[in-house]
Each structure stands twice: as C-alpha cells, then as structure tokens.
Amino acid sequence: MDMQYQLKSGAYYLYDMREAPSAATGERRFKLKTDTVAIAFDQHTGEVHQHGTPSRITSWANHTRRRLRASGAVQAANDIVVVSGPLPVDELNKCLWISGYCRRMFSRLASLPHGKLQRSGTSSDDFRKAA
C-alpha cells in the first residue's frame, strides 16, 4: 500500500505513502499528476507491470512487446494488456495493492462507473447504491 492514487479536481494524483507529509503544509508531495491513467498488466496472472500516464504506459507496452517477440516470447508479449481512461480510484488502488486484482477488474471493465464521476470517499459499490 505504498503507492496510492487520489482524485482531486478532476486529476489523478499518485502519492508514495511512505513519505512523510510536509511539516509546513501537512500534505505529501505527489509523484504524478495526470488527467487519465493507464495500467499495464499480465492478462493471465493479473500482475501489474507499469502504471501512470497513458502515453508513457502505451509506449512501454509497445516496446516491451517488440522486445519479447524478438526474443521468441510471443505468448508473453500477447499477454500484456493496457487499460487506460478515467478509471475509478478505488479500482486502481486495488490493482496496486492486491496481487492479481487487475485480471478481475479487466473482466468487469465495461460495468465500472466513470472514474471522475465518483464522489470522493466512496467506493464503487457505494456509488452504485447511490445512483
């Protein structure tokens, strides 16, 4: 649970929770700020490979797939999945914290709510009940 995304003012902020908050502001320094987020993972195991801005993650995935195919690992290259967009923050964080969770999230992707329409402090289940 070291890395955590938070949604603030319509942007995704990534924080390293191991860092102490600033003595002056009481806030942690963010590692990443982006309008949409992407996550690359293994389709069969659900293991997270990379996460961050969609352009960087897509570039990483394309390069990694090419490298794997060149070395003869075609199946491993085909197993890399990239999901991007306004994903629910609680789902993103579960992908980072729970081994294999991305595979479960991927199977429910079409039914997940738009990530930026969630009220802060609610889980996706709370959001569905409120709607």
Side-chain angles (χ1 to χ4, degrees):
M1 295 176 63
D2 296 335
M3 302 302 277
Q4 176 180 323
Y5 281 97
Q6 294 179 10
L7 187 62
K8 296 180 181 180
S9 303
Y12 292 92
Y13 288 81
L14 178 64
Y15 294 95
D16 185 344
M17 302 310 280
R18 294 173 295 191
E19 290 184 1
S22 166
T25 64
E27 301 230 349
R28 287 181 172 82
R29 194 174 351 177
F30 61 87
K31 301 292 183 187
L32 172 71
K33 177 185 175 190
T34 182
D35 289 332
T36 56
V37 69
I39 190 162
F41 60 94
D42 184 280
Q43 183 175 6
H44 293 293
T45 66
E47 174 192 356
V48 174
H49 294 299
Q50 295 279 320
H51 57 93
T53 61
S55 58
R56 186 180 73 79
I57 300 307
T58 302
S59 175
W60 174 88
N62 290 336
H63 174 74
T64 302
R65 286 180 188 123
R66 269 189 299 245
R67 190 175 45 83
L68 287 168
R69 286 185 180 115
S71 69
V74 176
Q75 187 58 47
N78 293 341
D79 286 345
I80 296 174
V81 175
V82 176
V83 174
S84 66
L87 300 168
V89 174
D90 59 333
E91 294 293 321
L92 280 172
N93 288 331
K94 287 177 185 177
C95 286
L96 300 181
W97 301 337
I98 302 170
S99 179
Y101 188 83
C102 281
R103 186 177 56 185
R104 287 184 269 164
M105 181 195 69
F106 186 61
S107 68
R108 299 179 299 109
L109 197 57
S111 65
L112 292 177
H114 188 289
K116 292 187 179 183
L117 296 179
Q118 285 184 260
R119 296 176 303 197
S120 64
T122 61
S123 71
S124 58
D125 292 334
D126 294 335
F127 180 80
R128 287 187 197 115
K129 290 175 188 172

